[in-house]
């Protein structure tokens, strides 16, 4: 952990003394971490992480959060839009009923919105699940 802290000190051009004063984490505590005498408590880790604008995970491991949600590409968005356009034509046909009543425009829009959200979530989940590790950014 202290190695990551040291890297952040260098990156931001600050001293451990300055971080100590501004976060309220004592210099003796930082020194104990450096020598391996004690392990950081979550509240102190959070103060330091907040100071540098990083996560506690980054402070402990030196790695960025790797569990970023996959993003849809323009092609994925186009595919979803085409599917919804075809579905909308079906839903707007004469005679579509819900609970024995003709479907209102609001009901149709609600269905289309729910379908869009579902398809976006499914595409993102599939990207996460089926993207080979060699193509994932770490």
């Amino acid at each position: 952990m202290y190695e990551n802290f040291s890297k952040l000190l260098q990156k931001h051009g600050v001293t451990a003394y300055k971080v100590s004063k501004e976060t309220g984490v004592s210099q003796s505590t930082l020194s104990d971490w450096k020598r391996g005498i004690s392990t950081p408590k979550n509240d102190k880790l959070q103060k330091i992480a907040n100071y540098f604008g990083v996560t506690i995970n980054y402070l402990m491991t030196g790695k960025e959060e790797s569990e970023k949600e996959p993003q849809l590409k323009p092609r994925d968005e186009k595919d979803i839009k085409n599917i919804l356009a075809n579905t909308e034509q079906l839903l707007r046909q004469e005679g579509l009923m819900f609970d024995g009543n003709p479907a209102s425009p609001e009901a149709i829009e609600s269905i289309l919105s729910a379908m869009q959200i579902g398809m976006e979530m499914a595409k993102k989940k599939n990207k996460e699940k089926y993207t080979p590790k060699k193509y994932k950014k770490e």
Side-chain angles (χ1 to χ4, degrees):
M1 179 269 162
Y2 197 85
E3 297 81 29
N4 299 325
F5 176 68
S6 290
K7 289 176 187 175
L8 288 168
L9 291 174
Q10 289 175 350
K11 180 180 176 184
H12 291 273
V14 295
T15 63
Y17 175 79
K18 183 175 181 180
V19 173
S20 171
K21 290 296 177 194
E22 293 188 16
T23 61
V25 177
S26 72
Q27 283 191 286
S28 62
T29 299
L30 295 175
S31 179
D32 288 349
W33 294 349
K34 183 177 184 176
R35 291 182 295 175
I37 294 174
S38 67
T39 56
K41 303 246 184 315
N42 274 346
D43 61 327
K44 293 185 191 293
L45 279 175
Q46 189 64 59
K47 287 179 183 180
I48 291 173
N50 290 345
Y51 179 85
F52 287 113
V54 297
T55 61
I56 290 178
N57 186 48
Y58 179 83
L59 203 55
M60 294 301 291
T61 65
K63 295 180 182 176
E64 293 291 333
E65 295 288 325
S66 60
E67 295 185 25
K68 293 181 181 168
E69 185 176 291
Q71 299 299 311
L72 293 180
K73 295 187 172 158
R75 180 179 176 188
D76 297 325
E77 292 173 359
K78 182 180 174 188
D79 290 345
I80 291 172
K81 188 176 181 180
N82 288 337
I83 292 168
L84 289 174
N86 292 334
T87 305
E88 185 174 8
Q89 289 175 349
L90 288 172
L91 290 175
R92 297 212 184 270
Q93 287 183 357
E94 196 77 24
L96 182 63
M97 307 282 269
F98 288 108
D99 290 330
N101 298 318
S104 68
E106 293 83 18
I108 293 170
E109 287 303 316
S110 179
I111 293 168
L112 290 171
S113 294
M115 287 178 66
Q116 180 178 359
I117 291 168
M119 284 190 282
E120 288 172 356
M121 289 173 63
K123 282 215 180 251
K124 287 178 183 178
K125 191 69 170 172
N126 286 338
K127 282 182 180 294
E128 184 180 298
K129 186 174 182 179
Y130 297 111
T131 300
K133 288 184 181 180
K134 67 180 183 179
Y135 296 114
K136 287 185 180 179
K137 294 181 181 176
E138 293 184 24

